[in-house]
Amino acid sequence: MDENQASTGGASSRARVGWRLLRGRRLTSWTEVRRMLVGLVMAWVVLSLTIWVVPGLNASTRWDVLVAAALLGVLTALLRPVVTSFALLLGWVGVLLAGLFAEVGLFALALVLSPGITVSGFWPAFWGSWLFALLTTTVSWVGSAGDDTAFLSHLLGQSRRAAGSVTATSVPGVVFIQLDGLSAPLLQWGIRSGDLPTMTRWVRTGTHTLTEWQAQLPSTTPASQAGLLHGASAQVPAFRWYEKEHGALMVASKPKDAHMIQQRLTDGRGLLADGGTSISNIFTGDAPTALLTMSAVGGQDTRRAARRRGPSRGYAAFFINPYGLCRSLVLSVAEMVKEKFQAQRQRQRGVEPRIDRHGSYVLLRAVTNVLLRDLNAGLIVEQMLAGTPAIYTDFTDYDEIAHHAGPTRPESLASLAGLDQLLGVLESAVEHAPRPYAFVVLSDHGQSQGATFRQRYGQTLEELVRSLMGTSGGSGGPTVTAATGVEETAGPANTFLSQVGSQGGATGHAVRRVLRHRSVDDEVHLEAGGHDGSGAAAPAAPADVVVIASGNLSMVWFPGHPGRMTREEVEAAWPGLLPALVAHPGIGYVVVQTRAHGLVALGPDGTRYLEEDRVEGRDPLAPFGEAAPREVLRHARLEHVGDLVLNSAMDPGTGEVAAFEELVGNHGGLGGWQTQAVLLHPATWPLQDAPLRGADAVHYQLVRWLRDLGHRRGLDDAEVPAAATPAGSPAPSHPH
């Protein structure tokens, strides 16, 4: 066994021992006994410090504290599952009360039953219980160098009770983990460097194969998930877009809009239709169970059902247990402190390009990268122990930090390393599930870097278009924009708060009341004070212009002109607009419809006739690769595409692009690594139709693998191309 296998095997062994201890299984080795004794001693020391610090708590001797620590452990193991069950009977209000006070009761009961210890009242017990949980969490995390064994031990114990009795099966399940925004070149480097131990081990030992697939325009999460989960990426022309016929601005990260888009995608045969579960995605993949999924939260029927159903045991177990919740709170605070330090370090070192990292993003980073990551992990484990055949979860941690810090900056890579560690934790949980599980890791797109358009040229694209059209805020009618605040960053947090607020009872009412100024129709919108026109905007006046950005891809609509305007119509209405945009150094190309030649891509020194497949002068698409003409033409033909489509210029030496949003790491258009996505899959699973172009092609491949494993027997997948596996070749098998 080589050194890498030995180290990872040791970590897995330690994890299994920890789980057996916390689940109360029979001790089978001195190692387990020693580990239990170490835990007891740690609880003894922490409880002693708690009693010493908190007024109203007193102990006669150190041995009395030892007895209390042991008794607290026994009471917690025996009574917390009972408390969780009673809390669920009361819905979210019960979960909230139990989360605040259950441990207080157990803590006080242990101290009262212990000889030589006195508690003077409720508040000493309340503050003492939380201080004890805080110190225990901190000491455990520091002492284990961030090892997640203890936390996952808790998840396994709670999830096993939630799962109940499940019939075992030999048919492998599949856990799809989407690492949002991860580019293939970056993952390849991380594997070569060894800084991603779990995925490195998979590739080095031959259990998994790393494949690159090409994300099509637009290279955004909504379009890619529409393809990956439903095989219908053509329904999404950008992260946000304007629909002339409805006079509506659609933003895919808003639950109501996501629900409307979902209705256009679904045919009942999505990736997760066969008993799967969607966790923290934009779309459901037709999963019968959708948790923290934007399109599900946006449906009125779903919200009403959620109010009737109340919280799942997985949610309850996460919030009630002080170790899990307190751990997340401690690490959330640490994440915010870390963000402030890292942003300051970038400024002091003069790192370029960079953007200001302040305001709500500091809090949202902590929510996304700690609280929601922990909650997602708990929900995945719960579904695995319930034997769910397919689970698909989107982790946005890396993507969000990379947007603000840069795709290859140290803090972004540290977030990626944390996700790799989580993969190892989930992998080790498989042995406790009623069926084997295989893991597929994929991304929806990559990320590119560069100073923003505004930083380079002193004005936003919207301001440039308005100036070229000769309009101002008052003379030519209002300009509708969606040039992004923190919409994409806030999306997961909005979904979580919207789902909690949709619950019935006191807790849901409290959330709705507290966030009423940032809510519209039961949807929470943390960004910039709430709803910004998505969904039901009134038709714009003829002089209005709609300018929308999705990374370094932008589109411009002229709502007063029905249908798609031609180049001739645009030049007649605003003679200087198109030539000025095409000549601007920050714009790589502009796509527009022409009367005589169809769709064309205009550049400063030439024209690409997309439908005639010819070039006049210098090809404006040449810097973006051989696939650019095909991808630009495909995107330009999608429904609801703007009258003008713009892509930023790209530095040929560095691959940097200029986002039309205020993000240093971006995606949405062409240029750099943003279209180079990842598919890490079991090596024994055959890959057909390589190279994979577009999320739809990846969807069909994932469906084939599920079908070959024995899934989807009740679904009509006749439209999926037949698998190219030669006769007699083995079906995909579980690699672990």
Side-chain angles (χ1 to χ4, degrees):
M1 179 181 295
D2 62 26
E3 182 179 351
N4 181 65
Q5 290 173 307
S7 62
T8 54
S12 178
S13 176
R14 289 194 298 274
R16 289 193 294 271
V17 169
W19 295 329
R20 284 197 290 270
L21 284 171
L22 287 183
R23 291 173 51 223
R25 293 179 60 174
R26 182 172 60 87
L27 302 179
T28 59
S29 72
W30 283 110
T31 301
E32 296 188 19
V33 174
R34 185 168 59 251
R35 194 174 288 274
M36 185 180 70
L37 291 176
V38 169
L40 179 60
V41 170
M42 185 187 73
W44 183 17
V45 172
V46 172
L47 185 57
S48 299
L49 181 60
T50 301
I51 293 174
W52 180 64
V53 168
V54 178
L57 301 181
N58 297 283
S60 300
T61 69
R62 294 190 300 272
W63 304 111
D64 295 329
V65 181
L66 177 60
V67 172
L71 187 57
L72 178 58
V74 172
L75 290 175
T76 298
L78 293 176
L79 296 182
R80 188 180 293 130
V82 179
V83 172
T84 302
S85 297
F86 276 108
L88 287 169
L89 295 177
L90 300 177
W92 275 101
V93 65
V95 171
L96 177 64
L97 291 174
L100 290 174
F101 302 115
E103 190 65 18
V104 179
L106 295 173
F107 184 83
L109 181 60
L111 297 189
V112 168
L113 293 178
S114 301
I117 295 182
T118 59
V119 182
S120 64
F122 169 78
W123 289 111
F126 180 85
W127 296 118
S129 68
W130 280 97
L131 179 60
F132 177 78
L134 174 65
L135 293 175
T136 300
T137 299
T138 304
V139 172
S140 298
W141 188 83
V142 173
S144 63
D147 182 19
D148 285 327
T149 298
F151 177 54
L152 192 64
S153 301
H154 154 67
L155 296 180
L156 282 168
Q158 295 296 336
S159 297
R160 184 172 295 278
R161 298 184 186 98
S165 178
V166 180
T167 302
T169 176
S170 61
V171 177
V174 183
V175 179
F176 299 100
I177 300 294
Q178 179 180 309
L179 301 184
D180 206 296
L182 176 60
S183 66
L186 187 61
L187 180 56
Q188 289 166 351
W189 174 252
I191 289 174
R192 289 172 184 172
S193 70
D195 287 338
L196 305 175
T198 301
M199 289 186 280
T200 296
R201 170 170 50 83
W202 289 355
V203 172
R204 286 181 178 173
T205 59
T207 65
H208 281 69
T209 298
L210 175 59
T211 299
E212 177 180 321
W213 68 273
Q214 294 299 309
Q216 296 177 303
L217 284 174
S219 51
T220 64
T221 301
S224 289
Q225 279 210 343
L228 294 169
L229 293 170
H230 292 277
S233 60
Q235 295 292 335
V236 181
F239 184 86
R240 49 184 73 80
W241 67 91
Y242 185 78
E243 299 189 353
K244 276 190 178 183
E245 62 271 35
H246 305 128
L249 178 64
M250 301 291 290
V251 182
S253 65
K254 296 183 182 298
K256 267 198 178 59
D257 290 355
H259 180 70
M260 292 174 61
I261 300 166
Q262 170 86 46
Q263 299 304 107
R264 303 172 183 177
L265 302 175
T266 183
D267 60 0
R269 297 191 296 270
L271 181 67
L272 305 175
D274 188 17
T277 295
S278 166
I279 301 174
S280 287
N281 298 306
I282 295 179
F283 307 117
T284 67
D286 292 324
T289 302
L291 306 170
L292 299 179
T293 298
M294 293 179 189
S295 62
V297 171
Q300 292 184 358
D301 293 340
T302 304
R303 290 199 296 271
R304 284 195 293 267
R307 293 186 185 185
R308 292 193 301 269
R309 184 171 60 249
S312 75
R313 193 176 187 99
Y315 288 118
F318 177 82
F319 286 105
I320 289 175
N321 183 272
Y323 176 79
L325 180 58
C326 192
R327 171 188 180 278
S328 296
L329 292 177
V330 169
L331 295 182
S332 294
V333 172
E335 191 77 7
M336 289 188 284
V337 173
K338 186 166 59 176
E339 165 58 29
K340 298 296 288 185
F341 169 77
Q342 291 168 341
Q344 178 66 20
R345 183 175 61 183
Q346 271 196 349
R347 290 192 295 270
Q348 290 178 340
R349 294 179 58 206
V351 173
E352 296 289 350
R354 70 174 189 270
I355 59 172
D356 289 332
R357 295 157 56 179
H358 60 271
S360 59
Y361 167 68
V362 178
L363 175 61
L364 288 170
R365 169 174 166 174
V367 171
T368 301
N369 290 270
V370 178
L371 189 64
L372 289 179
R373 180 197 288 189
D374 286 353
L375 181 54
N376 287 339
L379 294 174
I380 292 172
V381 172
E382 180 184 44
Q383 293 299 316
M384 289 172 66
L385 295 195
T388 301
I391 306 162
Y392 192 110
T393 306
D394 181 15
F395 285 93
T396 62
D397 314 35
Y398 165 78
D399 188 65
E400 299 307 343
I401 294 181
H403 273 312
H404 294 80
T408 59
R409 301 284 164 73
E411 48 265 55
S412 304
L413 299 180
S415 175
L416 185 58
L419 290 168
D420 179 82
Q421 181 179 3
L422 179 61
L423 286 174
V425 167
L426 296 175
E427 179 191 28
S428 297
V430 172
E431 68 178 270
H432 300 270
R435 70 192 310 161
Y437 277 95
F439 288 84
V440 174
V441 177
L442 69 167
S443 64
D444 46 349
H445 50 73
Q447 273 211 30
S448 301
Q449 184 172 283
T452 69
F453 188 88
R454 184 187 63 80
Q455 288 175 331
R456 299 184 189 203
Y457 306 108
Q459 63 181 163
T460 65
L461 181 63
E462 174 213 349
E463 292 168 341
L464 173 63
V465 171
R466 288 176 56 191
S467 67
L468 294 175
M469 292 176 64
T471 63
S472 62
S475 62
T479 299
V480 182
T481 66
T484 196
V486 290
E487 281 174 335
E488 188 172 3
T489 301
N494 288 341
T495 303
F496 171 68
L497 291 173
S498 297
Q499 183 152 341
V500 174
S502 71
Q503 304 289 337
T507 307
H509 176 74
V511 171
R512 293 193 296 273
R513 184 171 181 81
V514 170
L515 298 174
R516 64 185 182 277
H517 297 303
R518 292 182 179 268
S519 302
V520 175
D521 297 332
D522 292 335
E523 280 187 23
V524 176
H525 301 281
L526 296 177
E527 65 279 4
H531 207 53
D532 65 359
S534 168
D544 290 352
V545 57
V546 180
V547 182
I548 294 186
S550 294
N552 74 319
L553 178 75
S554 181
M555 291 189 282
V556 179
W557 290 261
F558 305 104
H561 298 263
R564 187 164 185 174
M565 289 190 73
T566 64
R567 175 180 184 175
E568 294 79 8
E569 290 171 330
V570 173
E571 290 179 336
W574 301 282
L577 176 62
L578 262 177
L581 289 176
V582 171
H584 194 283
I587 296 175
Y589 63 83
V590 179
V591 177
V592 64
Q593 180 81 36
T594 66
R595 289 174 181 166
H597 303 286
L599 290 162
V600 299
L602 306 175
D605 300 313
T607 300
R608 178 88 189 201
Y609 294 86
L610 295 170
E611 294 180 297
E612 298 176 359
D613 194 23
R614 65 184 179 90
V615 178
E616 192 175 90
R618 182 178 297 176
D619 187 356
L621 301 185
F624 300 98
E626 294 181 1
R630 179 183 66 247
E631 294 305 322
V632 171
L633 176 60
R634 171 193 168 275
H635 178 255
R637 287 172 167 172
L638 298 182
E639 191 176 9
H640 306 306
V641 166
D643 297 316
L644 304 179
V645 180
L646 298 81
N647 197 96
S648 81
M650 181 184 71
D651 186 314
T654 64
E656 289 189 330
V657 298
F660 299 118
E661 310 171 282
E662 292 311 301
L663 298 172
V664 68
N666 67 90
H667 52 86
L670 293 178
W673 290 353
Q674 60 187 308
T675 56
Q676 296 177 253
V678 167
L679 178 61
L680 182 63
H681 62 90
T684 57
W685 294 12
L687 183 68
Q688 292 91 13
D689 302 330
L692 294 170
R693 295 193 180 97
D696 293 6
V698 179
H699 167 81
Y700 294 135
Q701 181 62 74
L702 301 180
V703 167
R704 291 189 195 107
W705 284 337
L706 288 176
R707 187 177 56 194
D708 291 344
L709 287 171
H711 299 248
R712 306 181 67 85
R713 295 306 185 195
L715 295 174
D716 177 15
D717 287 334
E719 80 286 354
V720 180
T725 306
S729 296
S733 59
H734 177 55
H736 303 301

